[in-house]
């Protein structure tokens, strides 16, 4: 029988997947349209992307539900299909492994606004939306839930609670840090630093501390953030950095780190004790394939030494 995700990461580091949004665009999704709707209308296209990640060596695949809360889906008049969209996403990600053992991580992204008193959304509205999404993902069989690209602890807490109430096995809290120009400070848009985030996640019963996306957060800075996490918590750590920095080329956003360059950061992250390594914006199946190679070589060597 397959090990639970939270047990598997105690035995060996796992490889995550790469970007979904940019891959959906390549597959024909137009800017501003609802990529999560494709779980129902074009499941074969979502599957094709996730299958490429599985074939590149991903051990874990995130569901195509980053914007899958009712509040986000309402922007595209899809709020009424929130449960259906999230359930379908778990099935597609599972199918991407093609029968091979792999972990499906149910993805909950930001709800896309600010809560009162700073914004228009009441806490109960956000709570209901996250509860609904988490329940749909867990009931459909997600092995873990990641609450990612988080900048505020208030919103993160609603996500953690939603995942707990849904009965999720493993709950991953993932923050998006912005790095200051001189590289000295990592803070989310709402002013949260890595130590505070790690303590908060542990205090509220999260099972894993993570970071993804952000601004200026490359593989090396991710490693620095990991070391800071490790100083305040023993929880396992997951990272999904962007493929370097975004640049505007011919009116298109491209990320400047190729697979080989980015993969050079894999071993230092493993040495820092990271349990799951994936990648965020701008990364591709080729990046994940290069990660796989770097990871396997490192692990083979490790096993010989021990
Ligand atoms: Zn990203």
């Amino acid at each position: 029988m397959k090990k639970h995700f939270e047990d598997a990461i105690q035995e060996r580091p796992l490889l995550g997947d790469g970007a979904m949004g940019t891959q959906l665009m390549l597959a024909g999704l137009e800017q501003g349209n609802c990529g999560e709707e494709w779980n129902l209308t074009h499941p074969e296209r979502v599957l094709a992307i996730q299958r490429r990640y599985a074939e590149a060596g991903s051990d874990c695949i995130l569901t195509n539900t980053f914007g899958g809360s009712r509040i986000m889906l309402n922007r595209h008049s899809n709020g009424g299909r929130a449960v259906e969209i999230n359930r379908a996403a778990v099935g597609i990600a599972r199918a991407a492994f093609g029968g091979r053992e792999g972990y499906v991580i149910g993805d909950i992204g930001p709800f896309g606004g600010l809560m009162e008193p700073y914004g228009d959304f009441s806490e109960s509205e956000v709570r209901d939306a996250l509860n609904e999404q988490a329940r749909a993902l867990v009931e459909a069989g997600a092995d873990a839930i990641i609450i990612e690209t988080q900048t505020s602890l208030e919103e993160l807490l609603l996500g953690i609670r939603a995942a707990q109430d849904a009965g999720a096995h493993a709950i991953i809290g993932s923050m998006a840090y912005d790095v200051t120009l001189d590289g000295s400070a990592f803070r989310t848009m709402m002013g949260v630093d890595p130590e505070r985030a790690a303590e908060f996640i542990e205090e509220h019963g999260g099972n894993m501390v993570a970071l993804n996306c952000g601004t200026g957060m490359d593989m090396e800075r991710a490693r620095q953030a990991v070391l800071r996490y490790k100083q305040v918590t023993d929880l396992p750590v997951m990272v999904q950095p962007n493929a370097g920095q975004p640049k505007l080329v011919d009116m298109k956003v491209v990320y400047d780190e190729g697979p080989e360059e980015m993969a050079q950061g894999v071993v230092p992250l493993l040495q820092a004790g990271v349990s799951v390594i994936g990648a965020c914006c701008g990364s591709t199946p080729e990046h994940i394939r290069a990660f796989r190679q770097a990871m396997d070589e490192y692990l083979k060597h490790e096993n010989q030494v021990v």
Side-chain angles (χ1 to χ4, degrees), residues 107-251:
D107 188 10
I108 298 179
F111 78 88
L114 292 174
M115 279 188 283
E116 291 167 350
Y118 306 106
D120 299 332
F121 293 89
S122 71
E123 193 180 295
S124 68
E125 200 178 346
V126 177
R127 180 185 300 118
D128 289 348
L130 298 182
N131 282 347
E132 175 183 53
Q133 186 180 13
R135 207 176 310 123
L137 291 168
V138 171
E139 283 178 6
D143 297 294
I145 294 288
I146 186 168
I147 303 125
E148 69 168 353
T149 323
Q150 295 294 303
T151 57
S152 110
L153 296 179
E154 291 73 23
E155 184 176 343
L156 173 66
L157 180 58
L158 293 180
I160 291 175
R161 292 267 181 272
Q164 285 167 333
D165 290 350
H169 266 290
I171 302 167
I172 308 161
S174 188
M175 311 304 289
Y177 299 107
D178 299 334
V179 183
T180 50
L181 272 183
D182 64 356
S184 63
F186 303 169
R187 251 180 251 109
T188 71
M189 203 168 61
M190 304 300 278
V192 182
D193 67 19
E195 288 81 0
R196 178 77 192 104
E199 285 166 356
F200 185 89
I201 290 165
E202 180 158 19
E203 197 180 304
H204 291 92
N207 307 103
M208 202 164 183
V209 180
L211 66 88
N212 72 289
C213 211
T215 309
M217 184 54 76
D218 58 12
M219 295 289 269
E220 167 53 21
R221 277 155 178 173
R223 189 185 70 87
Q224 292 166 20
V226 168
L227 296 176
R228 291 173 65 175
Y229 279 164
K230 294 265 176 198
Q231 288 194 341
V232 296
T233 182
D234 292 327
L235 290 180
V237 176
M238 172 170 176
V239 299
Q240 304 177 94
N242 291 341
Q245 313 306 322
K247 291 206 167 80
L248 209 54
V249 177
D250 295 333
M251 296 310 286

Side-chain angles (χ1 to χ4, degrees), residues 1-15:
M1 211 183 100
K2 190 176 86 173
K3 287 189 183 63
H4 282 309
F5 172 76
E6 63 275 23
D7 297 328
I9 55 171
Q10 300 296 338
E11 286 180 14
R12 66 179 174 102
L14 299 180
L15 182 63

Side-chain angles (χ1 to χ4, degrees), residues 34-47:
C34 182
E36 288 76 15
E37 184 185 302
W38 274 21
N39 296 335
L40 301 179
T41 59
H42 300 293
E44 72 291 348
R45 296 192 198 171
V46 179
L47 177 64

